[in-house]
Amino acid sequence: MTERLTRAVRDVLTRPPRHVAGVVARERAILALVVPLAFLEAALDGMLTLSYRFLIDRAIVPGDRRALVAILAVLAAAVAGAAGLALWRDRVYVRWVARAVAAVRSAIFDHAQRLPVSYYAAHGSGDVRSRLSSDVAWLEAWLVGAVNTLLLPALSVLVGMALLVYLLPWQMAVAGILIWPLALIGPRIVAPRAGAAAYEQKAAETALLGEADEALAAHRVIKAYELFDAVGARFDAALGTLSARLARAGRLATLVERTTVISIYLVQVAAIAVAGDLAYERQLSLGAFIAFITVFWSLGWSIVVLARSAPSLVAAAASVRRVDELLAEPADSAETGGDAAPAIRDSLALDGVTFGYDPGRPVLRDASLRIPRGAYVAIVGPSGSGKSSVLNLLARFYEPQQGAVRLDGADIRRYSTRTLRARMGFVFQDSVLFSASVRDNVRLGRLDATDADVEAAARAAEIHDFVTSLPRGYDTPVSAATLSGGQRQRLAIARALVRDPAVLVLDEATAALDPVAEAAINATLRRAGRGRTTIAVTHRLGTVVDADLILVLRDGRIVEQGTHGALLALDGEYAGMWRRQEGITVSGDGNTAQVRPQRLELNPMLRPLAGQLGTLATRFVARRAAAGEVVVRQGDPGDRFYLIVRGVVTVTREQPTGQPVELGRLADGDEFGELALLRDAPRNATVTARTDCLFLTLSRADFLALLEQAPDARAHVEAVARARLAGS
Ligand SMILES: Nc1ncnc2c1ncn2[C@@H]1O[C@H](COP(=O)(O)OP(=O)(O)O)[C@@H](O)[C@H]1O
Ligand SMILES: [Mg+2]
């Protein structure tokens, strides 16, 4: 591991990072100016030290006042010139740094948009973020100081060596030059390890950021399960790794500097001893001796500055490498590669598709389906059955492991994803609105849409009148307009429609809305979908009764398909789901609900109460839960049975190790907690609302009161409960 990293860092130091260099090179004109300017500065600096020799040998010792004045005048002019140049060069250079760093940031950001979805699935967004923020910040900080800590001292070293040649007999000059590399032996040994340590430190920073990202994104779940300690422990572990690596990287970095400084002092002492002896023997003039000591001293100082800058150079090199790695990641080649996708003429289809986000765990298994052009096709099925995954494949966010997605019979891999997706309009359950005006939010669907196009789309989404009623109309920032869930969805629909898509893709587009808004928006979608192919994913069957075709998914397989009527007649999966949902009616505002007695018959524990079901139905009371809320907690005493009217919940069970494991998801029409109707037993799993939920609940007291009046039913109910217990 360390071996590989050492090599990696050495690579950066010897072989330039091509991608970053390419980006920075676009700004090279100014840089071409900075180098000669810095060289001039170093030369003037050299003149300063050389002047001691002339001052002493030509003016002070011979007592020549005119020479003294002339030398001092030249000296003053050189100092003023060097200072002026340095000020100007600093300004020019810092401006270059600002542009170069902006170019690197922009390159990373652009490239990040073009990375395939799978890159983020594998690395998380913290990966790109840390490269964009902390790595570029390292590069920036280093670049700002680079002229003064690297370029200038390096040039000063060259000038100083030239001066040695001028001042000393050649054999001594050569010795004086060759002795310096000795001072660099220490750093050479330590520097590669320091570089590797810096790279590891940054990897640990990314890991820490990843932990934080994940925890912040999941804060509701963390609250719901009270995972503070577990999450804190993970963060602390990542923090521990980071601290250890920081300490190691810091130790090695300072060691690089320390070893250099010590070696330089040793070299200095040796050189001064030799030169002092020469001057004593009168083989060196007094002026030359003093000039030599000054040159040697400033040469040593330049090398110390270089050594001091080594740690930040090493750290910046590690950062540059990380940025380079990201820029080297192949972009989603499918985006622009391939033919332009044609408008759909016949159908969009999945042909024997097997697909898993993790190839070892397929979520779609040999699924085949056909969506005819112009049809309104619904994809239904339990939560987690793979509905959204079908859409991910149709839009080619992912690619199947087996089989193909076909547009008019042709594998969509032939087409560029850009042109393919341009034919589609998407509306998801939670629509993201950006902090921009209403108009710009709609225009995101097609950036070259005119104001008239935006307005037409808003009309089709039936939100135009509302928008014009806003204080600044289409220019109102979405943050200033208080939008209801329905209005947000309508803006998202307008965004999808502004590209006049041949295919309208709806993923639970109305699932989060109350029934009135849901019905209204579904009607809008029907009108907007005329002349288009519409693919609507939903777990709520009431909204798709009149679909041209309903595809029923279960565990990643298409198990049934047909119209609503045909599927009911089939009396299979769909009919069962339908009966469970249809027996429950929700009030228009979504706050209350009622269950029909026939619906209760579907539950084996309630069924024995036959004659009493009408009364039992009236005993159900509504209960709401916000997304993230724990509805029942494992281990708590339970005294209620739940029917899910609307919403999605997850069922999790804590393992003996304390780790929660997701058992499954339940949604509209599903039930849980029936055993609590008979006995006061602790809940055997935790149920958490994933979306805002509405339940109908029945208490044990109410159930037992009715059971009292139906003595023959009691034995049946007990038998069902025993069977349930044995089964679970
Ligand atoms: N990005 C993802 N990475 C890994 N697994 C995923 C991802 N998205 C969904 N899954 C899993 O794939 C399965 C099908 O999910 P999905 O297609 O979203 O179902 P549905 O839309 O029917 O609720 C689920 O088990 C889900 O946990
Ligand atoms: Mg889904």
Side-chain angles (χ1 to χ4, degrees):
M1 180 73 178
T2 318
E3 172 77 347
R4 197 164 55 86
L5 286 168
T6 309
R7 205 175 328 120
V9 171
R10 204 176 290 143
D11 273 358
V12 168
L13 295 173
T14 53
R15 186 159 47 87
R18 277 192 308 120
H19 299 274
V20 176
V23 172
V24 172
R26 278 178 236 147
E27 307 286 336
R28 82 193 134 212
I30 309 178
L31 204 57
L33 187 65
V34 168
V35 176
L37 281 179
F39 189 76
L40 207 57
E41 249 178 275
L44 286 174
D45 205 44
M47 269 179 69
L48 207 67
T49 33
L50 198 58
S51 66
Y52 297 140
R53 174 184 179 172
F54 292 105
L55 265 181
I56 295 170
D57 287 353
R58 303 271 167 85
I60 299 174
V61 174
D64 183 342
R65 178 163 290 278
R66 279 182 52 200
L68 184 72
V69 172
I71 292 170
L72 286 179
V74 171
L75 206 60
V79 169
L85 272 179
L87 284 173
W88 187 52
R89 190 258 308 149
D90 275 344
R91 274 186 47 177
V92 170
Y93 177 68
V94 169
R95 210 178 303 150
W96 175 79
V97 171
R99 282 202 220 150
V101 169
V104 172
R105 282 213 167 89
S106 149
I108 297 177
F109 187 77
D110 279 357
H111 193 69
Q113 310 303 313
R114 290 181 165 61
L115 288 174
V117 177
S118 56
Y119 181 86
Y120 290 97
H123 295 83
S125 65
D127 178 84
V128 171
R129 278 210 303 119
S130 74
R131 288 171 213 241
L132 189 61
S133 55
S134 107
D135 284 321
V136 178
W138 274 100
L139 174 65
E140 181 180 77
W142 178 77
L143 276 180
V144 166
V147 167
N148 291 327
T149 59
L150 189 68
L151 182 61
L152 213 49
L155 293 173
S156 296
V157 167
L158 290 182
V159 170
M161 289 180 171
L163 287 177
L164 286 184
V165 173
Y166 173 78
L167 285 171
L168 299 175
W170 73 267
Q171 301 91 331
M172 284 197 56
V174 169
I177 290 168
L178 290 186
I179 201 167
W180 288 114
L182 275 185
L184 298 175
I185 289 177
R188 260 200 69 83
I189 296 171
V190 188
R193 283 201 294 151
Y199 187 96
E200 283 178 349
Q201 175 199 333
K202 279 167 193 158
E205 271 169 23
T206 302
L208 187 77
L209 203 61
E211 289 292 341
D213 260 3
E214 207 173 287
L216 292 176
H219 69 103
R220 273 180 159 171
V221 178
I222 290 166
K223 288 199 180 76
Y225 289 108
E226 291 186 11
L227 295 176
F228 308 110
D229 291 344
V231 169
R234 284 178 58 147
F235 190 78
D236 285 347
L239 205 55
T241 309
L242 177 59
S243 299
R245 291 191 183 174
L246 188 69
R248 183 178 140 80
R251 189 168 50 75
L252 288 170
T254 47
L255 198 60
V256 172
E257 186 192 328
R258 198 51 57 209
T259 49
T260 322
V261 173
I262 293 171
S263 325
I264 283 171
Y265 280 137
L266 293 177
V267 168
Q268 298 258 9
V269 170
I272 290 171
V274 172
D277 187 56
L278 282 177
Y280 187 81
E281 301 288 342
R282 297 292 185 271
Q283 292 177 21
L284 210 58
S285 75
L286 195 58
F289 173 67
I290 291 179
F292 165 76
I293 290 182
T294 321
V295 168
F296 215 73
W297 197 258
S298 87
L299 200 63
W301 185 248
S302 295
I303 293 177
V304 169
V305 172
L306 280 178
R308 288 222 170 119
S309 76
S312 64
L313 171 65
V314 166
S319 282
V320 167
R321 173 161 197 91
R322 282 165 48 81
V323 171
D324 211 56
E325 273 170 8
L326 183 75
L327 294 180
E329 276 295 327
D332 197 343
S333 61
E335 179 150 325
T336 48
D339 302 343
I344 170 171
R345 275 202 317 262
D346 173 61
S347 67
L348 201 53
L350 253 56
D351 180 5
V353 163
T354 295
F355 164 74
Y357 296 92
D358 166 4
R361 288 193 308 133
V363 299
L364 292 175
R365 303 152 207 262
D366 194 21
S368 292
L369 58 88
R370 182 173 170 275
I371 295 157
R373 173 191 166 182
Y376 185 101
V377 176
I379 303 178
V380 304
S383 203
S385 56
K387 305 184 294 292
S388 300
S389 304
V390 170
L391 300 186
N392 281 339
L393 293 177
L394 291 177
R396 208 175 157 197
F397 290 127
Y398 291 88
E399 301 201 352
Q401 274 101 36
Q402 276 170 43
V405 182
R406 298 190 189 279
L407 171 59
D408 295 343
D411 192 325
I412 60 167
R413 271 175 283 214
R414 272 182 52 181
Y415 306 122
S416 72
T417 53
R418 186 176 291 173
T419 56
L420 182 75
R421 289 175 199 153
R423 302 249 178 229
M424 303 179 170
F426 301 89
V427 184
F428 303 105
Q429 176 168 344
D430 296 309
S431 290
V432 176
L433 296 182
F434 291 84
S435 49
S437 67
V438 167
R439 188 196 316 279
D440 287 344
N441 263 288
V442 173
R443 189 176 280 143
L444 285 175
R446 183 163 60 86
L447 295 178
D448 60 357
T450 63
D451 287 357
D453 295 336
V454 168
E455 207 178 297
R459 280 182 199 279
E462 295 166 7
I463 184 85
H464 172 76
D465 291 342
F466 169 77
V467 173
T468 49
S469 79
L470 290 169
R472 288 166 60 195
Y474 279 90
D475 293 319
T476 313
V478 287
S479 52
T482 28
L483 299 171
S484 70
Q487 286 156 347
R488 295 175 75 86
Q489 282 310 72
R490 286 186 187 278
L491 285 182
I493 293 167
R495 182 190 290 167
L497 293 178
V498 79
R499 45 168 65 178
D500 191 20
V503 181
L504 199 52
V505 179
L506 314 170
D507 193 353
E508 311 266 13
T510 57
L513 305 177
D514 62 65
V516 167
E518 173 166 52
I521 290 190
N522 272 312
T524 302
L525 285 170
R526 278 313 154 85
R527 286 189 282 275
R530 268 186 215 130
R532 309 181 202 278
T533 309
T534 306
I535 309 167
V537 154
T538 182
H539 63 265
R540 195 166 295 153
L541 306 185
T543 60
V544 298
V545 174
D546 56 348
D548 299 316
L549 174 65
I550 299 173
L551 301 164
V552 185
L553 263 179
R554 179 174 194 95
D555 293 337
R557 291 177 211 277
I558 307 285
V559 289
E560 293 171 8
Q561 53 181 303
T563 60
H564 175 72
L567 290 174
L568 282 189
L570 196 65
D571 198 18
E573 185 78 27
Y574 180 86
M577 275 176 73
W578 174 257
R579 279 195 297 271
R580 283 199 298 278
Q581 292 189 14
E582 179 242 12
I584 306 171
T585 43
V586 199
S587 66
D589 59 5
N591 283 327
T592 56
Q594 283 182 331
V595 57
R596 289 199 211 116
Q598 298 92 303
R599 167 65 184 80
L600 298 179
E601 266 178 36
L602 297 178
N603 183 302
M605 265 185 68
L606 305 182
R607 194 183 304 135
L609 280 163
Q612 311 276 8
L613 288 180
T615 322
L616 192 65
T618 64
R619 299 287 193 268
F620 277 80
V621 293
R623 176 182 164 189
R624 305 186 61 101
E629 200 175 318
V630 172
V631 184
V632 307
R633 191 187 302 277
Q634 182 175 355
D636 282 359
D639 68 344
R640 273 178 189 279
F641 164 67
Y642 288 78
L643 265 177
I644 304 176
V645 180
R646 298 165 71 87
V648 179
V649 300
T650 44
V651 183
T652 47
R653 184 170 294 164
E654 204 167 292
Q655 300 303 100
T657 58
Q659 196 74 6
V661 170
E662 183 171 322
L663 301 181
R665 292 181 185 192
L666 301 174
D668 303 37
D670 292 332
E671 322 163 335
F672 58 89
E674 58 194 354
L675 288 175
L677 289 175
L678 270 184
R679 346 191 122 67
D680 188 8
R683 297 288 189 191
N684 62 5
T686 297
V687 176
T688 312
R690 281 190 61 91
T691 62
D692 291 346
C693 288
L694 176 66
F695 306 101
L696 277 176
T697 74
L698 174 67
S699 75
R700 181 163 62 229
D702 284 337
F703 178 71
L704 291 180
L706 272 173
L707 202 57
E708 289 294 306
Q709 295 164 30
D712 353 329
R714 175 121 207 162
H716 285 284
V717 172
E718 289 281 0
V720 173
R722 266 196 304 279
R724 268 300 140 86
L725 269 177
S728 73

